[in-house]
Amino acid sequence: MDTLIGQGLVALEMIVDPGSFERDVVGAKQFTDESYGPGAVVGTAKLAGETVTVIASDADAFNEKFPVVYAGIIGMEEGYKMASAVYASIAADADKPAAKKRPLVLVVDTPGNGPGKVEEIFGMNKSTGAYQLALAEARLAGHPIVAAVIGRAISGAFLCHGLQADRIVALDAKFGTMIHVMPLTSVSRIIKKDIEVLEDLSKSNPVFAAGPQFFFKLGGVEELVPEIPDLRGVVVAQVAALRDAKAKGEATGPQGRAALGAARGGRVTRPQVAAKMAAEFASVADTYRPQTA
């Protein structure tokens, strides 16, 4: 197999225990309306014998109500459906100790959000925001969340389906894996820089580059997966490592990526800026503290 791009369901079955995936059932919630958010794949499976919630996007699905939702794009309904699966996971394990809360595995292969006029009017931002919030709440509640990038992780879709995970792993770039916030053509239009300038910057600055190896340098990807058959083992190992990290109170998710990026040499300026901002705030903090009599 040369690539898993557009094969999120195949990747899902490769990661979980064989034959264990039950679609459209998460805890006590059943997703019975097949026409609602068809591009979102949610369900329950076993991973090394442990119950997990799995969330992915289906590149073969097409949402007839929203024509821009195809090829793995996460639309408004898809975002809400994915968020519902997360909250169903939280509810299912609400009475369990943190060490027993089910992991969430996000299979990431999406070219973006691509909202049309209708979605923008109805509130596409609320949908993606709801999904981000759900994942953040699950992560903080103790659920280990691992995002496995097996194809494309682009723009706002990756923001809601991936970046709130505790850990992100990605297949090597040789499989066509791509991670970036925005194509250079779009960046060029927005910041008014020639595309040639940005292409040169992308060779030396990971912020402008698109491959998973650059995101790894920024600290956004915890581990690069060298071969497709290794994917399952990496996800299993990351879940186990997260159990240990959470038990020790170590920073995971967005909180830990800045330090990781700095250690890898990809975010050398950020710590300096953060330190300067903290120092400037400390110098005036007393001005804003409530005055006591």
Side-chain angles (χ1 to χ4, degrees):
M1 186 177 292
D2 296 328
T3 179
L4 283 175
I5 294 176
Q7 301 185 73
L9 296 181
V10 173
L12 186 159
E13 293 287 0
M14 291 176 61
I15 293 171
V16 302
D17 296 355
S20 68
F21 179 59
E22 185 179 8
R23 188 166 179 170
D24 292 333
V25 177
V26 180
K29 185 173 181 59
Q30 295 189 12
F31 297 83
T32 57
D33 185 356
E34 294 182 358
S35 68
Y36 183 81
V41 178
V42 301
T44 303
K46 295 287 186 180
L47 180 67
E50 182 178 13
T51 298
V52 298
T53 294
V54 185
I55 304 176
S57 52
D58 185 357
D60 292 328
F62 174 70
N63 193 327
E64 294 185 357
K65 288 169 283 185
F66 303 103
V68 296
V69 179
Y70 62 96
I73 285 174
I74 297 176
M76 182 172 66
E77 287 187 347
E78 282 70 21
Y80 280 129
K81 184 176 179 179
M82 290 169 163
S84 295
V86 177
Y87 282 121
S89 304
I90 296 174
D93 292 353
D95 297 329
K96 295 180 180 179
K100 298 294 184 180
K101 292 185 184 291
R102 73 187 62 194
L104 278 66
V105 177
L106 316 181
V107 181
V108 183
D109 178 24
T110 173
N113 287 128
K117 183 177 181 180
V118 174
E119 292 94 322
E120 291 283 18
I121 291 173
F122 281 117
M124 180 71 200
N125 61 318
K126 295 179 180 179
S127 168
T128 56
Y131 185 27
Q132 291 176 66
L133 177 61
L135 288 172
E137 290 189 12
R139 175 168 47 78
L140 296 175
H143 293 268
I145 306 177
V146 177
V149 180
I150 57 97
R152 302 150 298 178
I154 311 298
S155 191
F158 185 42
L159 185 65
C160 65
H161 184 52
L163 282 177
Q164 281 296 333
D166 286 296
R167 301 276 176 85
I168 301 172
V169 303
L171 285 175
D172 189 88
K174 67 184 179 183
F175 299 110
T177 313
M178 179 178 291
I179 303 176
H180 67 71
V181 174
M182 189 179 293
L184 290 183
T185 51
S186 299
V187 175
S188 175
R189 288 196 296 270
I190 291 172
I191 69 173
K192 310 301 181 185
K193 290 285 187 181
D194 292 340
I195 187 67
E196 292 80 10
V197 173
L198 297 177
E199 287 174 346
D200 285 340
L201 280 172
S202 70
K203 297 174 184 177
S204 59
N205 191 323
V207 172
F208 291 95
Q213 69 274 23
F214 298 107
F215 211 67
F216 176 85
K217 191 173 183 181
L218 287 169
V221 167
E222 272 73 19
E223 186 172 354
L224 293 173
V225 184
E227 300 295 338
I228 290 176
D230 298 332
L231 189 59
R232 170 181 162 83
V234 168
V235 173
V236 171
Q238 286 289 350
V239 169
L242 279 169
R243 292 279 194 212
D244 185 56
K246 286 177 179 288
K248 294 177 179 177
E250 296 176 358
T252 62
Q255 291 91 339
R257 291 184 189 131
L260 188 58
R264 291 174 177 171
R267 303 183 76 174
V268 293
T269 304
R270 181 197 178 280
Q272 301 170 19
V273 173
K276 185 174 182 180
M277 290 177 64
E280 290 183 355
F281 175 76
S283 68
V284 298
D286 288 340
T287 306
Y288 299 97
R289 287 196 179 98
Q291 300 298 314
T292 57

